PDB file of all heavy atoms in Angstrom:
ATOM      1  N   GLN A 678      85.225 -49.126  81.814  1.00 98.00           N
ATOM      2  CA  GLN A 678      85.863 -49.147  80.499  1.00 98.00           C
ATOM      3  C   GLN A 678      86.716 -47.898  80.283  1.00 98.00           C
ATOM      4  O   GLN A 678      87.826 -47.927  79.720  1.00 98.00           O
ATOM      5  CB  GLN A 678      84.828 -49.244  79.392  1.00 98.00           C
ATOM      6  CG  GLN A 678      84.174 -50.607  79.269  1.00 98.00           C
ATOM      7  CD  GLN A 678      85.174 -51.728  79.002  1.00 98.00           C
ATOM      8  OE1 GLN A 678      85.969 -51.628  78.082  1.00 98.00           O
ATOM      9  NE2 GLN A 678      85.128 -52.804  79.810  1.00 98.00           N
ATOM     10  N   GLN A 679      86.219 -46.752  80.756  1.00 97.00           N
ATOM     11  CA  GLN A 679      86.981 -45.517  80.638  1.00 97.00           C
ATOM     12  C   GLN A 679      88.288 -45.648  81.440  1.00 97.00           C
ATOM     13  O   GLN A 679      89.359 -45.156  81.040  1.00 97.00           O
ATOM     14  CB  GLN A 679      86.193 -44.315  81.199  1.00 97.00           C
ATOM     15  CG  GLN A 679      84.900 -44.005  80.428  1.00 97.00           C
ATOM     16  CD  GLN A 679      85.163 -43.377  79.069  1.00 97.00           C
ATOM     17  OE1 GLN A 679      86.205 -42.790  78.835  1.00 97.00           O
ATOM     18  NE2 GLN A 679      84.226 -43.556  78.143  1.00 97.00           N
ATOM     19  N   LEU A 680      88.222 -46.318  82.580  1.00 97.00           N
ATOM     20  CA  LEU A 680      89.410 -46.479  83.428  1.00 97.00           C
ATOM     21  C   LEU A 680      90.414 -47.384  82.742  1.00 97.00           C
ATOM     22  O   LEU A 680      91.610 -47.047  82.723  1.00 97.00           O
ATOM     23  CB  LEU A 680      89.019 -47.062  84.808  1.00 97.00           C
ATOM     24  CG  LEU A 680      90.163 -47.299  85.745  1.00 97.00           C
ATOM     25  CD1 LEU A 680      89.799 -46.861  87.193  1.00 97.00           C
ATOM     26  CD2 LEU A 680      90.580 -48.764  85.778  1.00 97.00           C
ATOM     27  N   ILE A 681      89.970 -48.537  82.211  1.00 97.00           N
ATOM     28  CA  ILE A 681      90.951 -49.417  81.610  1.00 97.00           C
ATOM     29  C   ILE A 681      91.562 -48.841  80.328  1.00 97.00           C
ATOM     30  O   ILE A 681      92.693 -49.075  80.023  1.00 97.00           O
ATOM     31  CB  ILE A 681      90.361 -50.825  81.313  1.00 97.00           C
ATOM     32  CG1 ILE A 681      89.170 -50.760  80.366  1.00 97.00           C
ATOM     33  CG2 ILE A 681      89.968 -51.513  82.640  1.00 97.00           C
ATOM     34  CD1 ILE A 681      88.603 -52.166  80.021  1.00 97.00           C
ATOM     35  N   GLU A 682      90.800 -47.993  79.643  1.00 97.00           N
ATOM     36  CA  GLU A 682      91.323 -47.302  78.489  1.00 97.00           C
ATOM     37  C   GLU A 682      92.385 -46.277  78.927  1.00 97.00           C
ATOM     38  O   GLU A 682      93.416 -46.107  78.254  1.00 97.00           O
ATOM     39  CB  GLU A 682      90.233 -46.601  77.709  1.00 97.00           C
ATOM     40  CG  GLU A 682      89.341 -47.583  76.929  1.00 97.00           C
ATOM     41  CD  GLU A 682      88.133 -46.917  76.284  1.00 97.00           C
ATOM     42  OE1 GLU A 682      88.134 -45.657  76.248  1.00 97.00           O
ATOM     43  OE2 GLU A 682      87.193 -47.632  75.855  1.00 97.00           O
ATOM     44  N   ASN A 683      92.089 -45.617  80.067  1.00 97.00           N
ATOM     45  CA  ASN A 683      93.076 -44.659  80.625  1.00 97.00           C
ATOM     46  C   ASN A 683      94.371 -45.391  81.028  1.00 97.00           C
ATOM     47  O   ASN A 683      95.470 -44.875  80.793  1.00 97.00           O
ATOM     48  CB  ASN A 683      92.448 -44.003  81.858  1.00 97.00           C
ATOM     49  CG  ASN A 683      93.299 -42.893  82.460  1.00 97.00           C
ATOM     50  OD1 ASN A 683      93.443 -42.788  83.659  1.00 97.00           O
ATOM     51  ND2 ASN A 683      93.888 -42.064  81.592  1.00 97.00           N
ATOM     52  N   VAL A 684      94.240 -46.591  81.579  1.00 97.00           N
ATOM     53  CA  VAL A 684      95.405 -47.393  81.911  1.00 97.00           C
ATOM     54  C   VAL A 684      96.196 -47.798  80.676  1.00 97.00           C
ATOM     55  O   VAL A 684      97.452 -47.676  80.637  1.00 97.00           O
ATOM     56  CB  VAL A 684      95.021 -48.661  82.699  1.00 97.00           C
ATOM     57  CG1 VAL A 684      96.180 -49.635  82.803  1.00 97.00           C
ATOM     58  CG2 VAL A 684      94.520 -48.284  84.110  1.00 97.00           C
ATOM     59  N   LYS A 685      95.503 -48.224  79.603  1.00 96.00           N
ATOM     60  CA  LYS A 685      96.197 -48.602  78.390  1.00 96.00           C
ATOM     61  C   LYS A 685      96.898 -47.424  77.744  1.00 96.00           C
ATOM     62  O   LYS A 685      98.042 -47.562  77.245  1.00 96.00           O
ATOM     63  CB  LYS A 685      95.184 -49.201  77.402  1.00 96.00           C
ATOM     64  CG  LYS A 685      94.673 -50.572  77.797  1.00 96.00           C
ATOM     65  CD  LYS A 685      93.636 -51.101  76.848  1.00 96.00           C
ATOM     66  CE  LYS A 685      93.129 -52.471  77.247  1.00 96.00           C
ATOM     67  NZ  LYS A 685      92.066 -52.970  76.349  1.00 96.00           N
ATOM     68  N   GLU A 686      96.294 -46.227  77.790  1.00 96.00           N
ATOM     69  CA  GLU A 686      96.908 -45.063  77.161  1.00 96.00           C
ATOM     70  C   GLU A 686      98.173 -44.660  77.901  1.00 96.00           C
ATOM     71  O   GLU A 686      99.159 -44.263  77.294  1.00 96.00           O
ATOM     72  CB  GLU A 686      95.901 -43.896  77.177  1.00 96.00           C
ATOM     73  CG  GLU A 686      94.756 -44.027  76.209  1.00 96.00           C
ATOM     74  CD  GLU A 686      93.699 -42.941  76.397  1.00 96.00           C
ATOM     75  OE1 GLU A 686      93.957 -42.018  77.215  1.00 96.00           O
ATOM     76  OE2 GLU A 686      92.676 -42.983  75.719  1.00 96.00           O
ATOM     77  N   GLN A 687      98.105 -44.742  79.267  1.00 95.00           N
ATOM     78  CA  GLN A 687      99.266 -44.323  80.052  1.00 95.00           C
ATOM     79  C   GLN A 687     100.374 -45.351  80.125  1.00 95.00           C
ATOM     80  O   GLN A 687     101.556 -45.002  80.046  1.00 95.00           O
ATOM     81  CB  GLN A 687      98.818 -44.032  81.498  1.00 95.00           C
ATOM     82  CG  GLN A 687      97.958 -42.807  81.701  1.00 95.00           C
ATOM     83  CD  GLN A 687      97.770 -42.551  83.173  1.00 95.00           C
ATOM     84  OE1 GLN A 687      98.616 -41.970  83.821  1.00 95.00           O
ATOM     85  NE2 GLN A 687      96.635 -42.975  83.697  1.00 95.00           N
ATOM     86  N   PHE A 688     100.007 -46.636  80.277  1.00 94.00           N
ATOM     87  CA  PHE A 688     100.996 -47.669  80.594  1.00 94.00           C
ATOM     88  C   PHE A 688     101.051 -48.800  79.588  1.00 94.00           C
ATOM     89  O   PHE A 688     101.960 -49.667  79.691  1.00 94.00           O
ATOM     90  CB  PHE A 688     100.733 -48.196  82.013  1.00 94.00           C
ATOM     91  CG  PHE A 688     100.554 -47.107  83.046  1.00 94.00           C
ATOM     92  CD1 PHE A 688      99.274 -46.864  83.612  1.00 94.00           C
ATOM     93  CD2 PHE A 688     101.630 -46.324  83.439  1.00 94.00           C
ATOM     94  CE1 PHE A 688      99.130 -45.843  84.529  1.00 94.00           C
ATOM     95  CE2 PHE A 688     101.440 -45.300  84.348  1.00 94.00           C
ATOM     96  CZ  PHE A 688     100.218 -45.057  84.899  1.00 94.00           C
ATOM     97  N   GLY A 689     100.130 -48.843  78.645  1.00 94.00           N
ATOM     98  CA  GLY A 689     100.185 -49.858  77.612  1.00 94.00           C
ATOM     99  C   GLY A 689      99.890 -51.244  78.075  1.00 94.00           C
ATOM    100  O   GLY A 689     100.352 -52.240  77.445  1.00 94.00           O
ATOM    101  N   VAL A 690      99.153 -51.414  79.155  1.00 95.00           N
ATOM    102  CA  VAL A 690      98.793 -52.743  79.707  1.00 95.00           C
ATOM    103  C   VAL A 690      97.293 -52.853  79.939  1.00 95.00           C
ATOM    104  O   VAL A 690      96.591 -51.847  80.055  1.00 95.00           O
ATOM    105  CB  VAL A 690      99.570 -53.035  80.980  1.00 95.00           C
ATOM    106  CG1 VAL A 690     101.052 -53.132  80.748  1.00 95.00           C
ATOM    107  CG2 VAL A 690      99.262 -51.997  82.057  1.00 95.00           C
ATOM    108  N   SER A 691      96.835 -54.072  80.016  1.00 94.00           N
ATOM    109  CA  SER A 691      95.460 -54.358  80.319  1.00 94.00           C
ATOM    110  C   SER A 691      95.360 -54.772  81.797  1.00 94.00           C
ATOM    111  O   SER A 691      96.284 -55.311  82.383  1.00 94.00           O
ATOM    112  CB  SER A 691      94.932 -55.497  79.446  1.00 94.00           C
ATOM    113  OG  SER A 691      94.953 -55.133  78.072  1.00 94.00           O
ATOM    114  N   ILE A 692      94.198 -54.531  82.369  1.00 96.00           N
ATOM    115  CA  ILE A 692      93.914 -54.971  83.740  1.00 96.00           C
ATOM    116  C   ILE A 692      93.268 -56.343  83.712  1.00 96.00           C
ATOM    117  O   ILE A 692      92.168 -56.511  83.166  1.00 96.00           O
ATOM    118  CB  ILE A 692      92.983 -53.970  84.463  1.00 96.00           C
ATOM    119  CG1 ILE A 692      93.643 -52.601  84.578  1.00 96.00           C
ATOM    120  CG2 ILE A 692      92.638 -54.497  85.872  1.00 96.00           C
ATOM    121  CD1 ILE A 692      92.742 -51.525  85.174  1.00 96.00           C
ATOM    122  N   LYS A 693      93.941 -57.341  84.300  1.00 96.00           N
ATOM    123  CA  LYS A 693      93.374 -58.661  84.343  1.00 96.00           C
ATOM    124  C   LYS A 693      93.020 -59.057  85.764  1.00 96.00           C
ATOM    125  O   LYS A 693      92.087 -59.829  85.999  1.00 96.00           O
ATOM    126  CB  LYS A 693      94.382 -59.687  83.765  1.00 96.00           C
ATOM    127  CG  LYS A 693      94.702 -59.424  82.311  1.00 96.00           C
ATOM    128  CD  LYS A 693      95.518 -60.542  81.737  1.00 96.00           C
ATOM    129  CE  LYS A 693      95.958 -60.259  80.286  1.00 96.00           C
ATOM    130  NZ  LYS A 693      94.858 -59.925  79.381  1.00 96.00           N
ATOM    131  N   THR A 694      93.710 -58.543  86.753  1.00 97.00           N
ATOM    132  CA  THR A 694      93.378 -58.760  88.143  1.00 97.00           C
ATOM    133  C   THR A 694      93.711 -57.551  88.965  1.00 97.00           C
ATOM    134  O   THR A 694      94.480 -56.667  88.527  1.00 97.00           O
ATOM    135  CB  THR A 694      94.132 -60.026  88.687  1.00 97.00           C
ATOM    136  OG1 THR A 694      93.626 -60.325  89.991  1.00 97.00           O
ATOM    137  CG2 THR A 694      95.630 -59.792  88.773  1.00 97.00           C
ATOM    138  N   ILE A 695      93.145 -57.488  90.160  1.00 97.00           N
ATOM    139  CA  ILE A 695      93.277 -56.332  91.035  1.00 97.00           C
ATOM    140  C   ILE A 695      93.380 -56.876  92.451  1.00 97.00           C
ATOM    141  O   ILE A 695      92.828 -57.927  92.769  1.00 97.00           O
ATOM    142  CB  ILE A 695      91.993 -55.402  90.910  1.00 97.00           C
ATOM    143  CG1 ILE A 695      91.855 -54.924  89.480  1.00 97.00           C
ATOM    144  CG2 ILE A 695      92.110 -54.215  91.862  1.00 97.00           C
ATOM    145  CD1 ILE A 695      90.511 -54.254  89.196  1.00 97.00           C
ATOM    146  N   GLY A 696      94.117 -56.143  93.298  1.00 98.00           N
ATOM    147  CA  GLY A 696      94.282 -56.609  94.699  1.00 98.00           C
ATOM    148  C   GLY A 696      92.989 -56.595  95.472  1.00 98.00           C
ATOM    149  O   GLY A 696      92.725 -57.522  96.263  1.00 98.00           O
ATOM    150  N   ALA A 697      92.142 -55.611  95.235  1.00 98.00           N
ATOM    151  CA  ALA A 697      90.856 -55.509  95.944  1.00 98.00           C
ATOM    152  C   ALA A 697      89.958 -54.529  95.179  1.00 98.00           C
ATOM    153  O   ALA A 697      90.466 -53.652  94.462  1.00 98.00           O
ATOM    154  CB  ALA A 697      91.042 -55.079  97.378  1.00 98.00           C
ATOM    155  N   ILE A 698      88.665 -54.644  95.383  1.00 98.00           N
ATOM    156  CA  ILE A 698      87.685 -53.761  94.782  1.00 98.00           C
ATOM    157  C   ILE A 698      86.738 -53.302  95.879  1.00 98.00           C
ATOM    158  O   ILE A 698      86.372 -54.061  96.791  1.00 98.00           O
ATOM    159  CB  ILE A 698      86.888 -54.464  93.652  1.00 98.00           C
ATOM    160  CG1 ILE A 698      87.859 -54.954  92.574  1.00 98.00           C
ATOM    161  CG2 ILE A 698      85.863 -53.525  93.058  1.00 98.00           C
ATOM    162  CD1 ILE A 698      87.138 -55.749  91.460  1.00 98.00           C
ATOM    163  N   GLY A 699      86.263 -52.083  95.747  1.00 98.00           N
ATOM    164  CA  GLY A 699      85.225 -51.577  96.666  1.00 98.00           C
ATOM    165  C   GLY A 699      84.186 -50.755  95.907  1.00 98.00           C
ATOM    166  O   GLY A 699      84.545 -50.026  94.970  1.00 98.00           O
ATOM    167  N   PHE A 700      82.939 -50.885  96.346  1.00 98.00           N
ATOM    168  CA  PHE A 700      81.856 -50.131  95.689  1.00 98.00           C
ATOM    169  C   PHE A 700      81.191 -49.236  96.770  1.00 98.00           C
ATOM    170  O   PHE A 700      80.950 -49.651  97.890  1.00 98.00           O
ATOM    171  CB  PHE A 700      80.833 -51.058  95.094  1.00 98.00           C
ATOM    172  CG  PHE A 700      81.308 -51.704  93.865  1.00 98.00           C
ATOM    173  CD1 PHE A 700      81.850 -52.988  93.876  1.00 98.00           C
ATOM    174  CD2 PHE A 700      81.238 -51.085  92.601  1.00 98.00           C
ATOM    175  CE1 PHE A 700      82.334 -53.626  92.748  1.00 98.00           C
ATOM    176  CE2 PHE A 700      81.724 -51.672  91.462  1.00 98.00           C
ATOM    177  CZ  PHE A 700      82.266 -52.953  91.526  1.00 98.00           C
ATOM    178  N   SER A 701      80.885 -48.042  96.336  1.00 98.00           N
ATOM    179  CA  SER A 701      80.188 -47.081  97.166  1.00 98.00           C
ATOM    180  C   SER A 701      79.101 -46.427  96.355  1.00 98.00           C
ATOM    181  O   SER A 701      79.149 -46.448  95.097  1.00 98.00           O
ATOM    182  CB  SER A 701      81.205 -46.015  97.683  1.00 98.00           C
ATOM    183  OG  SER A 701      80.528 -44.954  98.321  1.00 98.00           O
TER     184      SER A 701
END
């Protein structure tokens, strides 16, 4: 949530899809 808020603040868009995800 912190990341998507960071994206909205910088670029004014929401994240609906992503090319790939990885967890560590």
Side-chain angles (χ1 to χ4, degrees):
Q678 289 300 309
Q679 297 289 335
L680 180 138
I681 60 177
E682 288 172 13
N683 186 222
V684 167
K685 287 178 181 177
E686 288 173 5
Q687 290 189 80
F688 310 109
V690 295
S691 299
I692 298 175
K693 298 187 185 307
T694 188
I695 301 169
I698 301 175
F700 288 95
S701 172

